Amino acid sequence: MNELNKLRRSFVKLAHAGGPVSFHDAVVVAVDQDAFTCDVLLDEAEVYGVRLRAVMSDRKSIDVLPVAGSPVVIGKLADDDYIVIACDQIAMYRITTGNTVLRVDPEGLLVSKGGDTLGKILNDLVRGVLSIAAPKDVPAITELIERINDLLP
């Protein structure tokens, strides 16, 4: 058998080793925020440790936490290996690139880089303006701090 045929047979064998990827509707039963996995109810059977990240590691890129009780679509990667493909309701969404993080959750929006956050920078700016503002402007400027803290906790 020539090398090309050997390579072809090896490729076909490897491609079929895990079986075809399949997609299923399921419902989230519980979410593990530390491990970034969830348990789902799939055809009346509970499936544990469904991945919420493509690769289970400490590295972060895009993280999505579904709401317990909400519908999801999961993909079956291998016999006991599933991953959430889509969520109906999201409890938290986070994008991490290096030391820069964008997080959206019910508490608000967090934009941070290293130890600095957008909320802190804006609050510092408003306090700086307050230190030079005329007294008649103080209530309106002070209200900005409350609005910033509500959006960017």
Side-chain angles (χ1 to χ4, degrees):
M1 184 181 330
N2 68 25
E3 289 298 314
L4 186 59
N5 282 338
K6 285 182 188 177
L7 184 60
R8 182 181 178 283
R9 285 180 188 230
S10 294
F11 178 74
V12 169
K13 182 179 177 183
L14 182 63
H16 292 11
V21 174
S22 58
F23 300 102
H24 307 275
D25 291 323
V27 175
V28 176
V29 176
V31 177
D32 184 336
Q33 293 184 17
D34 297 324
F36 268 85
T37 61
C38 67
D39 302 334
V40 300
L41 191 59
L42 172 64
D43 296 329
E44 299 182 22
E46 203 159 330
V47 178
Y48 302 98
V50 176
R51 293 194 236 171
L52 296 171
R53 288 185 180 145
V55 178
M56 298 309 295
S57 72
D58 289 337
R59 295 183 182 152
K60 301 173 181 98
S61 56
I62 298 177
D63 299 321
V64 179
L65 285 178
V67 173
S70 67
V72 292
V73 174
I74 61 173
K76 183 175 183 179
L77 302 171
D79 286 337
D80 293 324
D81 194 12
Y82 292 86
I83 185 169
V84 172
I85 304 296
C87 308
D88 183 50
Q89 294 178 316
I90 297 172
M92 189 270 295
Y93 187 82
R94 178 177 60 203
I95 300 173
T96 306
T97 303
N99 67 347
T100 303
V101 176
L102 170 66
R103 186 186 76 217
V104 180
D105 62 25
E107 299 299 313
L109 174 69
L110 171 72
V111 179
S112 68
K113 183 171 185 179
D116 233 347
T117 68
L118 180 58
K120 182 181 179 313
I121 293 168
L122 290 175
N123 275 312
D124 290 347
L125 175 66
V126 172
R127 286 188 188 95
V129 170
L130 272 173
S131 69
I132 59 172
K136 67 177 183 166
D137 298 333
V138 171
I141 295 172
T142 304
E143 183 184 330
L144 284 175
I145 292 175
E146 294 172 17
R147 292 173 56 202
I148 291 168
N149 290 336
D150 185 47
L151 178 63
L152 303 166

